[in-house]
Coordinates of all heavy atoms in Angstrom, one line a residue:
M171 N 0.9 -1.2 0.0 CA 0.0 0.0 0.0 C 0.9 1.2 0.0 O 1.8 1.4 0.8 CB -0.9 0.0 1.2 CG -1.8 1.2 1.4 SD -2.8 0.9 2.8 CE -3.0 2.6 3.3
K172 N 0.6 2.1 -0.9 CA 1.4 3.4 -1.0 C 0.8 4.4 0.0 O -0.4 4.5 0.2 CB 1.3 4.0 -2.4 CG 2.1 3.1 -3.4 CD 2.1 3.7 -4.7 CE 2.9 2.7 -5.6 NZ 3.1 3.3 -7.0
L173 N 1.6 5.2 0.5 CA 1.3 6.3 1.5 C 0.9 7.5 0.7 O 1.5 7.8 -0.4 CB 2.4 6.6 2.5 CG 2.8 5.4 3.4 CD1 4.0 5.8 4.2 CD2 1.7 5.0 4.3
P174 N -0.1 8.3 1.2 CA -0.4 9.6 0.6 C 0.8 10.6 0.6 O 1.6 10.4 1.5 CB -1.6 10.1 1.4 CG -1.5 9.4 2.7 CD -0.8 8.1 2.5
I175 N 0.8 11.5 -0.3 CA 1.8 12.5 -0.3 C 1.3 13.7 0.6 O 0.2 14.1 0.5 CB 2.0 13.0 -1.7 CG1 2.5 11.9 -2.6 CG2 3.0 14.2 -1.7 CD1 2.6 12.2 -4.1
V176 N 2.2 14.0 1.6 CA 1.9 15.2 2.5 C 3.0 16.1 2.5 O 4.1 15.7 2.5 CB 1.6 14.6 3.9 CG1 1.3 15.8 4.8 CG2 0.6 13.5 4.0
I177 N 2.6 17.4 2.3 CA 3.7 18.4 2.3 C 3.5 19.3 3.6 O 2.5 19.8 3.9 CB 3.4 19.4 1.1 CG1 3.6 18.5 -0.3 CG2 4.4 20.5 1.1 CD1 3.2 19.2 -1.5
H178 N 4.7 19.3 4.3 CA 4.6 20.0 5.6 C 5.4 21.3 5.6 O 5.1 22.2 6.4 CB 5.3 19.1 6.7 CG 4.5 17.9 7.0 ND1 3.3 17.9 7.7 CD2 4.7 16.6 6.6 CE1 2.9 16.7 7.8 NE2 3.7 15.9 7.1
T179 N 6.4 21.4 4.7 CA 7.3 22.6 4.7 C 7.4 23.2 3.3 O 7.1 22.5 2.3 CB 8.7 22.3 5.2 OG1 9.3 21.4 4.3 CG2 8.6 21.6 6.6
E180 N 8.0 24.4 3.2 CA 8.3 25.0 1.9 C 9.3 24.1 1.1 O 9.1 24.0 -0.1 CB 8.9 26.4 2.1 CG 7.9 27.4 2.6 CD 6.9 27.8 1.6 OE1 7.1 27.7 0.3 OE2 5.8 28.3 2.0
E181 N 10.2 23.5 1.8 CA 11.2 22.6 1.2 C 10.4 21.4 0.6 O 10.8 21.0 -0.6 CB 12.2 22.1 2.2 CG 13.3 21.3 1.5 CD 14.4 20.9 2.6 OE1 15.1 21.8 3.0 OE2 14.4 19.7 2.9
D182 N 9.4 20.8 1.3 CA 8.7 19.7 0.7 C 7.9 20.2 -0.5 O 7.8 19.5 -1.5 CB 7.6 19.2 1.7 CG 8.2 18.5 2.9 OD1 9.4 18.1 2.9 OD2 7.5 18.4 3.9
Y183 N 7.4 21.4 -0.4 CA 6.6 22.0 -1.5 C 7.5 22.1 -2.8 O 7.2 21.8 -3.9 CB 6.0 23.3 -1.2 CG 5.1 23.9 -2.2 CD1 3.8 23.5 -2.2 CD2 5.6 24.8 -3.1 CE1 2.9 24.1 -3.2 CE2 4.7 25.4 -4.1 CZ 3.4 25.0 -4.1 OH 2.5 25.6 -5.0
D184 N 8.8 22.7 -2.6 CA 9.7 22.8 -3.7 C 10.1 21.5 -4.3 O 10.2 21.3 -5.5 CB 11.0 23.5 -3.2 CG 10.8 24.9 -2.8 OD1 9.8 25.5 -3.2 OD2 11.6 25.5 -2.1
R185 N 10.2 20.4 -3.4 CA 10.5 19.1 -4.0 C 9.4 18.5 -4.8 O 9.6 17.9 -5.8 CB 10.9 18.1 -2.8 CG 12.4 18.2 -2.5 CD 12.7 17.2 -1.5 NE 12.3 17.8 -0.2 CZ 12.3 17.3 1.0 NH1 12.6 16.0 1.2 NH2 12.0 17.9 2.1
A186 N 8.1 18.8 -4.3 CA 6.9 18.4 -5.0 C 6.9 19.0 -6.4 O 6.5 18.4 -7.4 CB 5.7 18.7 -4.2
Q187 N 7.2 20.3 -6.5 CA 7.2 21.0 -7.8 C 8.3 20.4 -8.7 O 8.0 20.2 -9.9 CB 7.5 22.5 -7.6 CG 6.3 23.3 -7.0 CD 6.7 24.8 -6.9 OE1 7.7 25.1 -6.3 NE2 5.8 25.6 -7.4
Q188 N 9.4 20.1 -8.2 CA 10.5 19.5 -9.0 C 10.1 18.1 -9.5 O 10.3 17.8 -10.6 CB 11.8 19.4 -8.1 CG 12.9 18.8 -8.9 CD 14.2 18.8 -8.0 OE1 14.2 18.9 -6.8 NE2 15.3 18.5 -8.7
R189 N 9.4 17.4 -8.6 CA 8.9 16.0 -9.0 C 7.9 16.1 -10.1 O 7.8 15.3 -11.0 CB 8.4 15.2 -7.8 CG 7.9 13.9 -8.1 CD 9.0 13.0 -8.6 NE 8.5 11.7 -8.9 CZ 8.9 10.9 -9.8 NH1 10.0 11.2 -10.5 NH2 8.4 9.7 -10.1
T190 N 7.0 17.1 -10.0 CA 6.0 17.4 -11.0 C 6.7 17.6 -12.4 O 6.2 17.1 -13.4 CB 5.1 18.5 -10.6 OG1 4.5 18.2 -9.4 CG2 4.0 18.8 -11.6
E191 N 7.7 18.4 -12.4 CA 8.4 18.7 -13.6 C 9.1 17.4 -14.2 O 9.0 17.2 -15.4 CB 9.5 19.8 -13.4 CG 8.9 21.1 -13.1 CD 10.0 22.2 -12.7 OE1 11.2 21.9 -12.8 OE2 9.6 23.2 -12.2
E192 N 9.7 16.6 -13.3 CA 10.2 15.4 -13.7 C 9.2 14.5 -14.3 O 9.4 13.8 -15.4 CB 10.9 14.6 -12.5 CG 12.1 15.3 -12.0 CD 12.6 14.7 -10.7 OE1 12.0 13.8 -10.2 OE2 13.6 15.2 -10.1
L193 N 8.1 14.4 -13.7 CA 7.0 13.5 -14.2 C 6.5 13.9 -15.5 O 6.1 13.2 -16.4 CB 5.8 13.4 -13.1 CG 6.1 12.6 -11.9 CD1 5.0 12.8 -10.9 CD2 6.1 11.1 -12.3
S194 N 6.4 15.3 -15.7 CA 5.9 15.8 -17.0 C 6.7 15.5 -18.1 O 6.2 15.3 -19.3 CB 5.8 17.3 -16.9 OG 4.8 17.7 -15.9
A195 N 8.0 15.2 -17.9 CA 9.0 14.8 -19.0 C 8.9 13.3 -19.3 O 9.4 12.9 -20.3 CB 10.4 15.2 -18.6
M196 N 8.2 12.6 -18.4 CA 8.1 11.1 -18.6 C 7.0 10.7 -19.5 O 6.0 11.5 -19.7 CB 8.0 10.4 -17.3 CG 9.2 10.6 -16.3 SD 8.8 10.0 -14.6 CE 8.6 8.2 -14.9
P197 N 7.0 9.5 -20.2 CA 5.9 9.1 -21.0 C 4.7 8.9 -20.1 O 4.8 8.6 -18.9 CB 6.4 7.7 -21.6 CG 7.9 7.7 -21.2 CD 8.1 8.6 -20.1
D198 N 3.6 9.1 -20.8 CA 2.3 8.9 -20.0 C 2.1 7.5 -19.6 O 2.4 6.5 -20.3 CB 1.1 9.3 -21.0 CG 1.1 10.8 -21.3 OD1 1.7 11.6 -20.5 OD2 0.4 11.2 -22.2
S199 N 1.5 7.4 -18.4 CA 1.2 6.1 -17.8 C 0.2 6.3 -16.7 O 0.0 7.4 -16.2 CB 2.5 5.3 -17.2 OG 2.9 6.0 -16.1
A200 N -0.4 5.2 -16.3 CA -1.4 5.3 -15.2 C -0.7 5.7 -13.9 O -1.2 6.5 -13.1 CB -2.2 4.0 -15.0
D201 N 0.5 5.1 -13.6 CA 1.2 5.5 -12.5 C 1.6 7.0 -12.4 O 1.6 7.6 -11.4 CB 2.5 4.7 -12.3 CG 2.2 3.2 -11.9 OD1 1.1 2.9 -11.4 OD2 3.1 2.4 -12.1
K202 N 2.0 7.5 -13.6 CA 2.4 8.9 -13.7 C 1.2 9.8 -13.4 O 1.3 10.7 -12.6 CB 2.9 9.2 -15.1 CG 3.1 10.7 -15.4 CD 3.4 10.9 -16.8 CE 3.4 12.4 -17.1 NZ 3.7 12.7 -18.5
E203 N 0.0 9.4 -13.9 CA -1.2 10.2 -13.7 C -1.6 10.2 -12.2 O -2.0 11.2 -11.6 CB -2.3 9.7 -14.6 CG -2.1 10.1 -16.0 CD -1.8 11.6 -16.3 OE1 -2.6 12.4 -15.7 OE2 -0.9 11.8 -17.1
R204 N -1.5 9.0 -11.6 CA -1.8 8.9 -10.1 C -0.9 9.8 -9.3 O -1.3 10.4 -8.4 CB -1.8 7.4 -9.7 CG -3.0 6.7 -10.0 CD -3.0 5.3 -9.3 NE -2.0 4.4 -9.8 CZ -2.1 3.6 -10.8 NH1 -3.2 3.6 -11.5 NH2 -1.1 2.8 -11.2
E205 N 0.4 9.7 -9.6 CA 1.4 10.5 -8.8 C 1.1 12.0 -9.0 O 1.2 12.8 -8.1 CB 2.8 10.1 -9.1 CG 3.8 10.7 -8.2 CD 5.2 10.3 -8.4 OE1 5.5 9.2 -9.1 OE2 6.1 10.9 -7.7
L206 N 0.9 12.4 -10.3 CA 0.6 13.8 -10.6 C -0.6 14.3 -9.8 O -0.6 15.4 -9.3 CB 0.5 14.1 -12.0 CG 1.8 14.1 -12.9 CD1 1.4 14.1 -14.4 CD2 2.6 15.4 -12.5
H207 N -1.6 13.5 -9.8 CA -2.9 13.8 -9.1 C -2.6 13.9 -7.6 O -3.0 14.9 -6.9 CB -3.9 12.8 -9.3 CG -5.3 13.1 -8.7 ND1 -6.1 14.0 -9.2 CD2 -5.8 12.6 -7.7 CE1 -7.2 14.1 -8.4 NE2 -7.0 13.2 -7.5
A208 N -1.9 13.0 -7.0 CA -1.5 13.0 -5.6 C -0.7 14.3 -5.2 O -0.9 14.9 -4.2 CB -0.8 11.8 -5.2
L209 N 0.2 14.6 -6.1 CA 1.1 15.8 -5.9 C 0.2 17.0 -5.9 O 0.4 17.9 -5.1 CB 2.2 15.8 -6.9 CG 3.4 14.9 -6.7 CD1 4.2 14.8 -7.9 CD2 4.2 15.4 -5.5
A210 N -0.6 17.1 -6.9 CA -1.5 18.3 -7.0 C -2.4 18.5 -5.8 O -2.5 19.6 -5.3 CB -2.3 18.2 -8.3
E211 N -3.0 17.4 -5.3 CA -3.8 17.5 -4.1 C -3.0 17.9 -2.9 O -3.4 18.8 -2.1 CB -4.5 16.2 -3.8 CG -5.6 15.9 -4.8 CD -6.3 14.6 -4.4 OE1 -5.9 13.8 -3.5 OE2 -7.4 14.3 -5.0
A212 N -1.8 17.4 -2.7 CA -1.0 17.7 -1.6 C -0.5 19.2 -1.7 O -0.5 19.9 -0.7 CB 0.2 16.8 -1.5
M213 N -0.1 19.6 -2.8 CA 0.3 21.0 -3.0 C -0.8 22.0 -2.7 O -0.6 23.0 -2.1 CB 0.9 21.2 -4.4 CG 2.2 20.5 -4.6 SD 2.7 20.4 -6.3 CE 3.4 22.1 -6.5
L214 N -2.0 21.7 -3.2 CA -3.2 22.5 -2.9 C -3.5 22.5 -1.5 O -3.7 23.6 -0.9 CB -4.4 22.0 -3.7 CG -5.7 22.8 -3.5 CD1 -5.5 24.3 -3.9 CD2 -6.8 22.1 -4.3
A215 N -3.5 21.4 -0.8 CA -3.7 21.4 0.7 C -2.7 22.2 1.4 O -3.0 23.0 2.3 CB -3.7 19.9 1.2
F216 N -1.4 22.1 1.0 CA -0.4 23.0 1.6 C -0.7 24.4 1.4 O -0.6 25.3 2.3 CB 1.0 22.6 1.1 CG 2.1 23.4 1.7 CD1 2.6 23.2 2.9 CD2 2.7 24.4 0.9 CE1 3.6 24.0 3.4 CE2 3.7 25.2 1.4 CZ 4.2 25.0 2.7
E217 N -1.0 24.8 0.2 CA -1.2 26.2 -0.1 C -2.4 26.7 0.7 O -2.3 27.9 1.2 CB -1.5 26.4 -1.6 CG -0.3 26.2 -2.5 CD -0.6 26.0 -4.0 OE1 -1.8 26.1 -4.4 OE2 0.3 25.8 -4.8
L218 N -3.4 25.9 0.9 CA -4.6 26.4 1.6 C -4.2 26.6 3.1 O -4.7 27.5 3.7 CB -5.8 25.4 1.5 CG -6.4 25.3 0.1 CD1 -7.4 24.2 0.0 CD2 -7.1 26.7 -0.3
R219 N -3.5 25.6 3.6 CA -3.0 25.7 5.1 C -2.2 27.0 5.2 O -2.3 27.7 6.2 CB -2.3 24.5 5.5 CG -3.2 23.3 5.8 CD -2.4 22.2 6.5 NE -1.1 21.8 5.9 CZ -0.9 20.9 4.9 NH1 -1.9 20.3 4.4 NH2 0.3 20.7 4.5
R220 N -1.3 27.3 4.3 CA -0.4 28.4 4.3 C -1.2 29.7 4.3 O -1.0 30.6 5.0 CB 0.6 28.3 3.2 CG 1.7 29.4 3.2 CD 2.7 29.2 2.1 NE 2.0 29.2 0.9 CZ 2.6 28.8 -0.3 NH1 3.8 28.4 -0.3 NH2 1.9 28.8 -1.4
D221 N -2.2 29.7 3.4 CA -3.0 30.9 3.2 C -3.8 31.1 4.5 O -4.0 32.3 4.9 CB -4.0 30.8 2.1 CG -3.2 30.9 0.7 OD1 -2.0 31.3 0.7 OD2 -3.8 30.6 -0.3
E222 N -4.3 30.1 5.1 CA -5.1 30.2 6.4 C -4.2 30.8 7.5 O -4.6 31.6 8.3 CB -5.7 28.9 6.8 CG -6.9 28.5 5.9 CD -7.5 27.2 6.3 OE1 -7.0 26.6 7.3 OE2 -8.4 26.7 5.6
A223 N -3.0 30.3 7.5 CA -2.0 30.8 8.5 C -1.7 32.3 8.4 O -1.5 33.0 9.4 CB -0.8 29.9 8.5
D224 N -1.7 32.7 7.1 CA -1.4 34.1 6.8 C -2.5 35.1 7.2 O -2.2 36.2 7.5 CB -1.1 34.3 5.3 CG 0.3 33.7 4.9 OD1 1.1 33.4 5.8 OD2 0.5 33.5 3.8
D225 N -3.7 34.5 7.3 CA -4.9 35.4 7.6 C -5.0 35.7 9.0 O -4.5 35.7 10.0 CB -6.2 34.7 7.2 CG -6.3 34.7 5.6 OD1 -5.6 35.5 5.0 OD2 -7.1 33.9 5.2

């Protein structure tokens, strides 16, 4: 069972962005799409938490 992707820090966020770029360069596959989707959800959740903390 794979663990969900969770982003806790800006450094994690930067690594997620880098991984997204790496995946974009790879051939299309179901695994690639699943990982891109998981990264997008994790990045959005981090951005929302960060925005809430700024308010």
Side-chain angles (χ1 to χ4, degrees):
M171 178 177 152
K172 293 185 179 184
L173 297 175
I175 297 171
V176 181
I177 298 173
H178 295 285
T179 66
E180 290 288 337
E181 185 178 288
D182 293 341
Y183 187 85
D184 292 343
R185 275 184 277 175
Q187 285 182 311
Q188 183 178 11
R189 180 63 180 153
T190 300
E191 291 173 13
E192 292 169 1
L193 286 169
S194 295
M196 296 172 62
D198 290 340
S199 71
D201 286 340
K202 172 186 169 179
E203 291 305 315
R204 278 192 293 273
E205 188 172 350
L206 282 171
H207 182 75
L209 284 165
E211 286 184 352
M213 291 170 77
L214 178 59
F216 176 78
E217 290 167 2
L218 291 172
R219 285 192 312 273
R220 184 178 57 193
D221 289 348
E222 286 178 4
D224 288 345
D225 289 341

